[in-house]
Amino acid sequence: MTHRVRPFLLLTLAALAVAAGLRAAEPARWWSPGEGGRLPAYATYPNEYGEVGVLNSSGPIETKGHPFFEPIGTNGRACVSCHQPANAMSLSVAAIQERWRATKGTDPIFAAIDGMNCPGLPAGDPASHSLLLERGLFRVFLPWPPVTHDGTAVDPEFSIEVVRDPTGCNTSPRYGLTSATPEISVYRRPRPVANTKYFTHHGFGVTSFVGKGPLATVRDAETGLPTSMNMMADARVSTLKTQAMSAAQSHLQIAGALDEARLRKIVEFEGQVYSAQVRHRAAGDLMEPGGPPGFGVRNLAAASTGVLGNNTTQWVFPVGDVWKKLATPAGATDAPRNRMRESIARGHDVFMFRTFWIRDVQHLNTVGLGNPTKRTCSTCHGMHMTGMDVANGWMDLGATNLPWAREEPLNPWNQRKPQMPLFKITCKASAAPHAFLGRTIYTQDPGRALVTGKCVDVGSIVMQQFRGLAARAPYFANGSAESIRDLVDFYDRRFNIGYTTQERDDLINFLSAL
C-alpha cells in the first residue's frame, strides 16, 4: 500500500520560513554529480535561521574528477548527492522537494534503489518517493538474520513480524522478509559528512569496550585501534573508509569495488570539511571577534577532539558571558539583535543546567545511573563542540519504539495514513529482555538490533551531532521531528520536563545557532 504526498508538505523553503514566522531564504546552491566547479575553502549558504558555513581546512577543492563529487556508481549519484554543502553536508526536506520540482523527479537522489519507498514502484510518481519527499528518508535494506563483518550469520535473540507495511517492501516477495535473500527495509536520514574528526578520534571515551554495555568495541582493521562507533545510526560500520565502501555499493550501486585511490581522496575530503551555522537571522554574525568561542565553523575546526564537555573546565558549547545582559541604549538599532543574543545565551544554560528526570532509556538508565536519574541535555549530548555522546554506543530514547514514537493519530478528524513500517519483536525466553519494554516490542525501526540481533538493542540509535541543525531539517534518524521546535517538544513530552515558554524558545534559539 502506498500513500500520496500531501500537497501542503510540498511547500517551498520560503513558504516554510514564512509559516514559521521567519525570514524567507532563497534556495541554496545545489551540487550536481559531475558538474565540475570549484568548492571554495569557505562558503556560506542561506537557510531559514540565517546562514550555514562550510570550511575546507585544506583549501579549495576542484570538484571535476573528484570521487566525492563524481557519479562513480551506475545510478548517476555521487557522494555529494546526499551530502550537500548547503545542508551542512546532509540533506534537508526543503532541498529534496525543491530538487523534485526542478527535475520533475529525475534527479539521481530519487534513484529506485533507496530513493523510492520500494524499488519497482511507478517512476515519476510522488507517492513512490513519499518518505523521501516528506521526511527526508532513504531506504536502508539490511539482511535478516544479521551477518557479521566477515559474513558469519548471527543467531538473533528475537523473531520479527511485519505488522504494518505502507511501502510494501517488507512483505514484497522480491525485497522482503520472505524473499530469496531476506531483507528488512527501514527508513533513515542521511547524516552529515562534516566535522568528522569528532567521531573518528581515538581519544577520551573510545575504549576497548562499548560504553553502554559489555560489548567489545569494533576496531579499525588497518590500525587495530578501537573506534568511536558513533558514525552511523546503527553503528554497522565505524570508519570513514568502510562507510564509503558500503555507500558506494548500496546507495551509488557501483559496479565492482571502489579502488584505494578514490577511497583515499573521499576520506581525505571528509576529514577536512567542517560545517556550522555562521550567521543567525536575528543574532547576527556568529563568528565576530570576541564572540562566544563555541560558535562558528572556524572555532569548530580548531577545537580539540575527545573532550567531555562539562561546566567546570570545558563546556559542551562554550558561550561564556559575552552575550549575557547586553547593555542597549534606548532606541538603539541593535536592540533586537542583543535580545536574541541574550536568548541564545539563556538557551545554552537551559541545555547545560536545566535538570529533569530521565527515565526508561535502554543503555542509559541501565548502566548504573539509576532509573530515573536527574540530569540535563548535556548528560547525553556531552561531546565538546558537537553535542554527540563521548562514549561509544547507542540508546533507545523512544524515537522509533512505541509507545513514544511518532504515530498518526487514529480518529475521524485525521485523514493521514501511517507512513512508517511497524514491526513486532518477540524476544526469546533465553534472551535478556528490553529493560523497559519487555519481550514484546513494537517498533518502526529496530535500530542497532538489526546488526547485533540482541533484544536489548531494539530501537537503540546512535545519537547525532548538533552542528548545522538549522540547515538540515527534519531531525531524528526517522525524520519524525519536522523542526527544531518539534525536536525540543519531543523531549519535553518524553521526559515530562515542563519547559516554560521562555525556556523552550531560548533552547530553540540556542540550537538554531549551532
Side-chain angles (χ1 to χ4, degrees):
M1 177 179 68
T2 59
H3 51 279
R4 295 283 173 179
V5 178
R6 268 70 68 177
F8 68 87
L9 286 174
L10 290 177
L11 298 172
T12 63
L13 179 59
L16 287 170
V18 170
L22 306 176
R23 184 181 68 189
E26 295 297 324
R29 165 93 157 85
W30 179 273
W31 286 87
S32 294
E35 72 172 60
R38 186 180 177 90
L39 183 69
Y42 175 68
T44 62
Y45 302 88
N47 56 59
E48 59 180 306
Y49 283 99
E51 294 177 356
V52 68
V54 175
L55 172 69
N56 293 288
S57 60
S58 295
I61 294 290
E62 293 295 341
T63 65
K64 187 66 175 177
H66 195 290
F68 189 91
F69 297 88
E70 289 290 339
I72 58 178
T74 59
N75 58 21
R77 283 181 180 164
C79 301
V80 74
S81 296
C82 300
H83 301 285
Q84 291 284 328
N87 297 144
M89 302 306 292
S90 178
L91 271 182
S92 71
V93 158
I96 293 167
Q97 293 175 358
E98 177 65 29
R99 203 63 192 158
W100 180 272
R101 286 187 291 270
T103 68
K104 296 181 173 57
T106 62
D107 191 280
I109 63 168
F110 303 109
I113 184 67
D114 58 5
M116 278 186 175
N117 294 346
C118 193
L121 294 175
D125 186 349
S128 302
H129 307 268
S130 60
L131 286 175
L132 182 54
L133 286 167
E134 296 183 21
R135 292 176 70 159
L137 303 179
F138 289 89
R139 187 175 75 99
V140 176
F141 42 99
L142 299 172
W144 188 256
V147 294
T148 62
H149 292 288
D150 62 7
T152 303
V154 173
D155 182 18
E157 296 179 347
F158 57 85
S159 62
I160 185 165
E161 303 171 51
V162 181
V163 176
R164 181 180 68 216
D165 191 28
T167 70
C169 230
N170 284 293
T171 53
S172 165
R174 181 175 178 182
Y175 302 102
L177 276 170
T178 59
S179 66
T181 55
E183 292 179 340
I184 293 178
S185 290
V186 291
Y187 299 83
R188 297 173 182 166
R189 296 277 291 127
R191 297 199 161 199
V193 180
N195 317 321
T196 62
K197 74 175 184 179
Y198 288 98
F199 53 81
T200 58
H201 71 91
H202 299 97
F204 178 80
V206 181
T207 66
S208 297
F209 293 93
V210 172
K212 302 177 183 67
L215 180 71
T217 299
V218 173
R219 292 178 177 269
D220 186 328
E222 295 186 346
T223 66
L225 296 172
T227 61
S228 75
M229 301 183 72
N230 283 338
M231 182 179 299
M232 302 186 73
D234 57 14
R236 67 184 183 274
V237 299
S238 56
T239 70
L240 292 176
K241 184 175 180 179
T242 54
Q243 189 279 330
M245 294 168 61
S246 174
Q249 293 169 351
S250 57
H251 303 302
L252 306 186
Q253 295 178 282
I254 194 171
L258 190 57
D259 59 85
E260 286 293 326
R262 288 185 293 180
L263 269 173
R264 184 172 60 256
K265 289 196 72 172
I266 290 172
V267 170
E268 286 175 353
F269 172 72
E270 292 175 347
Q272 75 181 44
V273 64
Y274 295 86
S275 183
Q277 197 79 348
V278 295
R279 175 170 289 278
H280 194 274
R281 59 182 173 82
D285 188 358
L286 298 173
M287 298 202 301
E288 65 184 15
F295 287 161
V297 70
R298 290 193 175 92
N299 288 333
L300 174 63
S304 299
T305 61
V307 174
L308 174 64
N310 55 54
N311 59 359
T312 56
T313 59
Q314 189 73 274
W315 303 85
V316 178
F317 300 105
V319 173
D321 297 329
V322 65
W323 280 6
K324 292 185 177 181
K325 296 182 180 179
L326 297 170
T328 307
T333 57
D334 58 0
R337 182 202 67 180
N338 287 352
R339 299 294 80 78
M340 177 56 74
R341 290 183 171 187
E342 290 172 343
S343 174
I344 290 171
R346 291 194 302 268
H348 165 268
D349 290 350
V350 172
F351 177 86
M352 285 296 304
F353 303 123
R354 173 60 155 88
T355 58
F356 53 92
W357 290 103
I358 301 175
R359 67 180 70 242
D360 299 346
V361 176
Q362 182 77 41
H363 300 309
L364 174 66
N365 295 111
T366 57
V367 295
L369 297 178
N371 186 40
T373 181
K374 198 170 190 179
R375 302 281 172 152
T376 73
C377 301
S378 63
T379 297
C380 298
H381 299 282
M383 182 183 288
H384 177 56
M385 297 299 279
T386 68
M388 299 178 71
D389 197 347
V390 175
N392 48 13
W394 34 86
M395 298 181 189
D396 168 27
L397 289 168
T400 67
N401 283 351
L402 273 56
W404 301 293
R406 170 185 161 187
E407 286 275 291
E408 287 297 335
L410 299 178
N411 59 60
W413 299 274
N414 182 33
Q415 300 302 312
R416 294 167 61 98
K417 301 298 182 184
Q419 296 175 294
M420 303 296 288
L422 187 66
F423 304 98
K424 179 183 178 181
I425 303 296
T426 304
C427 302
K428 297 176 181 178
S430 59
H434 188 291
F436 309 110
L437 298 177
R439 297 190 181 280
T440 302
I441 307 165
Y442 290 88
T443 183
Q444 299 172 357
D445 182 346
R448 177 65 181 172
L450 293 180
V451 179
T452 65
K454 293 186 176 296
C455 183
V456 295
D457 288 336
V458 173
S460 287
I461 297 292
V462 175
M463 66 183 63
Q464 293 195 52
Q465 58 174 298
F466 280 0
R467 302 316 293 245
L469 281 177
R472 52 185 175 90
Y475 311 106
F476 293 127
N478 62 358
S480 58
E482 295 180 5
S483 66
I484 296 178
R485 179 172 292 275
D486 290 336
L487 179 72
V488 171
D489 286 348
F490 171 84
Y491 286 103
D492 197 10
R493 293 190 303 270
R494 171 68 176 85
F495 298 118
N496 195 27
I497 299 173
Y499 284 132
T500 67
T501 299
Q502 178 172 300
E503 286 175 329
R504 178 180 287 102
D505 290 344
D506 290 343
L507 182 56
I508 291 168
N509 290 335
F510 168 68
L511 294 174
S512 72
L514 295 176

